[in-house]
Amino acid sequence: MKRFAVQDHELVPEHILLTPEEAQQVLEQYGVEARYLPKIHVTDPVAEEIGAKVGDIIKIKRKSPTAKESIFYRLVID
Amino acid sequence: MKLPDAWLKRIDELDLPISLKEALINGLGEAERVTEEQFETILREVVEDYEHARAEPCEAVGVVAAQSIGEPGTQMTMRTFHYAGVAEINVTLGLPRLIEIVDARKIPSTPTMTIRLLPEYASDRDMAREVAWAIEATSILHLGSIATDLAEMNVVIELNEDAMAQRKITAEEVAEKLREATGLAVDQRGSTLIMAPEEPSYRELLQLVERIKKVTLKGVDGIKRVVIRKEGDEYVLYTEGSSLKEVLEFEGVDPTRTKTNNINEICEVLGIEAARNAIINEATDTLREQGLQVDVRHIMLVADIMTCDGDVKQIGRHGVSGEKASVLARAAFEVTVNHILDAAIRGDVDDLKGVTENVIVGQPIQLGTGDVQLVAKRIDEVVR
């Protein structure tokens, strides 16, 4: 069985795992605590693929039909 | 004209979406001559217009989205079934399908997959057909006939050589599969298989026949039928039944462009962001097929709310509406008594911050102008 990267699928936007410093910067920029961000499960296929752990923040570069590209953040939860 | 680098940098620094920045650069590039002064004016006007077009703070975007999807929804067909252009494949369309999407049903009423193939398979009808046969679940009824012999108390399966050759399976393989699935001995004589139940009773015999009919000999369990259709210059497979995870691993299938209409399955296999995209695509396709125009922003909002917790949750009692913080808002939606009773037992407090609960108690809602509160300063403070 061949393996294929979930992130290659056309429905899946690019997910980027943020370093703790970058994550802190994002939270300061928006003035929110991490728990108020939208969530993603640690068992999510893409989260598993990029090796995210509970508490990490994932930056998602969505392809938007209106803005072409939009940035979204999700907090990894279990 | 060619834009100076300083201008490009100025545009890049603006707080605008990428699509607008690109349109701005293209538009300016086509212009014959733009002076520095005109350029500044254009930028100012674009930014102003963009700010004007944005949703105002405190605007009830959810209500606007609900109305914008709900009104066209009244014009949709209530009929459940339709043939969606694809030969003989039943697909739920119209209002029932839209309800299915926002209810986040575990399994849609007509699961179907769109399987796209790798280039070398997609251009050749015979190779596409081979992939189709490999994926389609093959049962004993596809390969031959099954009969019971009451005198001998056994089941006789007559396999058809041509059918087996077409589906690339041998009598030995069929016998092996049946042996595995039933745990009974299979007596093979050429293309005839004979099986006997553990106990020679009439009931056991009939049960055995039913069990044999259900065994999937080849292909993917749950994919009942595969139809090949030419789209542009490639062959695409449409299926009745869905099993994304397994189909993605098949030889010849392009795993990056293969889809299903089962949103929960997409969430499991491809993740929550893919599920969000699937909700948007499915909902817009359903509306467009009915000839209705709904701005994609409303659907994007619905998809965002449905996926913000990391799972696909429904817009309804067990999802978005059921998780509202306000007791009165939940009670106003469905099962009123249960919510109020539970809240009373727990001693819940309602902060009266939302729309519904303020309408119930008869005060201005905290939206738009209602959200602005006056803070008065005493005149002696101001004077001093």
Side-chain angles (χ1 to χ4, degrees):
Chain A
M1 290 272 174
K2 60 179 186 267
R3 280 289 306 149
F4 96 102
V6 177
Q7 284 212 71
D8 289 344
H9 197 279
E10 59 180 9
L11 281 176
V12 184
E14 189 185 347
H15 289 52
I16 303 159
L17 188 62
L18 295 186
T19 63
E21 296 80 53
E22 286 169 325
Q24 193 53 41
Q25 217 177 332
V26 168
L27 294 180
E28 272 165 27
Q29 187 194 336
Y30 290 97
V32 289
E33 286 172 42
R35 65 193 170 105
Y36 294 122
L37 290 177
K39 316 291 188 298
I40 186 168
H41 284 287
V42 73
T43 51
D44 188 277
V46 188
E48 274 178 359
E49 199 169 274
I50 61 173
K53 288 177 197 67
V54 176
D56 286 344
I57 290 175
I58 295 177
K59 175 179 175 179
I60 297 153
K61 279 189 177 170
R62 288 175 172 174
K63 282 191 209 83
S64 159
T66 52
K68 192 152 187 203
E69 188 181 287
S70 68
I71 307 288
F72 201 73
Y73 298 93
R74 282 183 190 271
L75 172 70
V76 182
I77 56 167
D78 61 344
Chain B
M1 64 177 266
K2 190 169 172 340
L3 300 184
D5 286 346
W7 287 17
L8 290 176
K9 196 163 171 284
R10 275 277 285 139
I11 293 173
D12 194 51
E13 281 166 357
L14 293 176
D15 188 18
L16 293 177
I18 294 170
S19 55
L20 265 187
K21 286 180 188 171
E22 281 179 3
L24 199 54
I25 292 169
N26 287 339
L28 285 169
E30 279 168 25
E32 292 265 311
R33 210 172 66 86
V34 184
T35 63
E36 189 85 21
E37 198 183 328
Q38 285 170 325
F39 174 69
E40 288 302 326
T41 318
I42 291 168
L43 283 201
R44 201 174 52 243
E45 298 242 327
V46 166
V47 171
E48 218 167 83
D49 267 8
Y50 174 67
E51 292 293 334
H52 186 70
R54 283 171 75 165
E56 302 270 334
C58 301
E59 192 173 327
V61 286
V63 175
V64 177
Q67 290 288 359
S68 304
I69 297 170
E71 195 279 330
T74 61
Q75 298 166 43
M76 297 178 96
T77 37
M78 306 264 204
R79 266 183 60 195
T80 315
F81 289 102
H82 240 277
Y83 295 103
V86 186
E88 324 104 64
I89 284 199
N90 250 338
V91 186
T92 313
L93 290 172
L95 194 63
R97 176 63 187 146
L98 196 64
I99 292 173
E100 212 169 76
I101 296 167
V102 294
D103 273 354
R105 299 257 176 82
K106 279 277 170 279
I107 296 162
S109 57
T110 49
T112 161
M113 294 183 73
T114 308
I115 304 173
R116 294 190 182 269
L117 304 172
L118 293 172
E120 60 267 36
Y121 289 82
S123 51
D124 186 334
R125 191 178 175 89
D126 292 330
M127 285 175 90
R129 190 165 287 275
E130 264 176 39
V131 179
W133 272 321
I135 290 171
E136 189 175 80
T138 301
S139 78
I140 205 80
L141 293 174
H142 290 111
L143 301 177
S145 60
I146 182 165
T148 48
D149 185 341
L150 290 178
E152 298 287 330
M153 269 298 169
N154 56 20
V155 181
V156 182
I157 303 162
E158 295 280 358
L159 296 170
N160 181 324
E161 296 283 354
D162 290 342
M164 282 197 295
Q166 199 177 47
R167 288 177 188 261
K168 294 210 166 140
I169 190 166
T170 61
E172 284 76 20
E173 283 169 332
V174 174
E176 184 55 40
K177 280 275 177 191
L178 289 178
R179 208 171 287 143
E180 261 174 45
T182 58
L184 297 169
V186 180
D187 186 8
Q188 190 200 340
R189 291 170 199 162
S191 62
T192 307
L193 307 179
I194 296 168
M195 292 177 78
E198 269 171 9
E199 281 174 35
S201 83
Y202 187 58
R203 202 168 132 257
E204 291 261 335
L205 194 68
L206 287 183
Q207 275 176 351
L208 181 62
V209 173
E210 289 308 312
R211 263 166 73 198
I212 292 171
K213 278 185 191 167
K214 284 201 187 101
V215 176
T216 305
L217 298 168
K218 202 167 182 251
V220 182
D221 230 355
I223 301 217
K224 285 174 226 107
R225 240 149 40 86
V226 182
V227 171
I228 304 175
R229 194 165 159 237
K230 189 159 193 179
E231 260 174 31
D233 50 4
E234 70 170 339
Y235 287 99
V236 182
L237 309 184
Y238 289 88
T239 69
E240 206 177 299
S242 170
S243 182
L244 188 61
K245 201 180 177 81
E246 281 166 62
V247 170
L248 287 184
E249 282 164 349
F250 261 84
E251 183 84 33
V253 172
D254 185 346
T256 64
R257 298 188 299 144
T258 292
K259 286 184 222 168
T260 166
N261 70 347
N262 184 345
I263 288 159
N264 272 292
E265 204 177 346
I266 290 188
C267 182
E268 265 165 46
V269 181
L270 300 172
I272 190 72
E273 280 292 321
R276 174 187 173 270
N277 283 331
I279 293 172
I280 296 172
N281 293 345
E282 290 285 326
T284 24
D285 288 352
T286 308
L287 287 162
R288 196 187 313 117
E289 189 272 336
Q290 298 276 308
L292 302 170
Q293 296 278 322
V294 175
D295 195 293
V296 70
R297 291 170 184 83
H298 301 307
I299 297 161
M300 280 160 67
L301 180 69
V302 171
D304 274 337
I305 293 296
M306 286 176 72
T307 57
C308 71
D309 275 356
D311 307 300
V312 180
K313 60 179 177 183
Q314 60 151 265
I315 306 277
R317 197 184 338 155
H318 303 288
V320 177
S321 298
E323 284 171 14
K324 283 183 184 167
S326 162
V327 182
L328 290 177
R330 270 182 281 130
F333 182 61
E334 271 173 10
V335 284
T336 310
V337 177
N338 294 7
H339 279 299
I340 293 182
L341 187 64
D342 289 349
I345 291 167
R346 284 196 304 261
D348 285 352
V349 174
D350 199 313
D351 292 329
L352 299 180
K353 280 187 176 156
V355 178
T356 322
E357 49 271 40
N358 278 304
V359 172
I360 292 172
V361 299
Q363 27 177 54
I365 56 170
Q366 293 182 8
L367 275 180
T369 51
D371 194 56
V372 181
Q373 270 153 19
L374 285 180
V375 180
K377 265 189 182 171
R378 278 170 47 183
I379 196 143
D380 49 338
E381 272 179 44
V382 179
V383 171
R384 213 184 299 147

